[in-house]
Amino acid sequence: MYFDNKKRLWREQITIDGKRKVFSGKRKQDVMMKILEYKREANTLPTLEKVADAWQEEHWKQVREGSLRSYTAPLRRIVERFGSKPINDIAPKEMQQYINELSKVYAQKTVQQHKILLNMLFNYAEVDMGLDVKNRVPLITIPSGTKKIA
């Protein structure tokens, strides 16, 4: 850390993930707080809602109309349930509990659609967005005894 006499500010340059970033402030403590905040934000993964929005923006145009109809309600329910959580903070146990709750209300095909969408969102976050996310959706099971529509 050094003091810039021309600008009358304390400055610190750090490199994170190959990117140089300069922080400055009137006091050393201000600079340190800015660095800590920047590092905290850099390590925070986007929420499921942001991933869902990005996925929808990219894939919605390529999906057939029938698929759109079948995706809309499950996607809305998933975002309502998990949307505000960072995607990596959604535990398999939470997803399993969600699927179990759905299986008490909806038909097996509808519950399966929710699982498929969750899987697509996690895959999109990992592959297309390049996030460090572990897709645990394949570990989720649909409870036996879920009603089937004939």
Side-chain angles (χ1 to χ4, degrees), residues 4-102:
D4 184 344
N5 282 322
K6 286 184 181 179
K7 295 185 179 181
R8 310 284 306 152
L9 296 173
W10 285 97
R11 299 181 68 116
E12 177 74 27
Q13 178 177 309
I14 62 171
T15 303
I16 297 179
D17 296 331
K19 298 176 188 172
R20 278 185 287 196
K21 180 83 174 150
V22 177
F23 298 90
S24 57
K26 291 184 179 183
R27 302 179 309 156
K28 284 183 179 182
Q29 294 91 340
D30 295 340
V31 176
M32 296 306 292
M33 291 301 292
K34 288 178 182 180
I35 292 171
L36 285 173
E37 183 62 31
Y38 178 80
K39 286 181 178 179
R40 189 176 310 123
E41 287 178 16
N43 290 332
T44 303
L45 290 173
T47 61
L48 184 122
E49 183 174 19
K50 288 185 180 180
V51 171
D53 288 344
W55 175 81
Q56 200 172 2
E57 180 77 27
E58 188 171 322
H59 292 285
W60 224 240
K61 300 170 199 128
Q62 303 164 1
V63 178
R64 290 180 294 160
E65 192 173 325
S67 297
L68 281 178
R69 281 195 299 273
S70 67
Y71 288 168
T72 302
L75 184 61
R76 179 180 41 79
R77 287 187 205 107
I78 289 168
V79 169
E80 284 173 4
R81 178 67 174 258
F82 301 112
S84 62
K85 293 188 88 165
I87 192 160
N88 225 25
D89 289 352
I90 302 170
K93 185 177 180 179
E94 290 177 275
M95 290 186 280
Q96 184 65 61
Q97 183 180 5
Y98 175 65
I99 294 295
N100 292 348
E101 290 170 10
L102 289 173

Side-chain angles (χ1 to χ4, degrees), residues 110-133:
T110 304
V111 177
Q112 184 69 32
Q113 191 69 36
H114 284 78
K115 182 180 174 187
I116 289 168
L117 269 170
L118 275 169
N119 193 48
M120 289 166 72
L121 292 172
F122 273 83
N123 282 338
Y124 178 77
E126 186 176 11
V127 176
D128 295 333
M129 294 178 80
L131 301 175
D132 186 21
V133 175

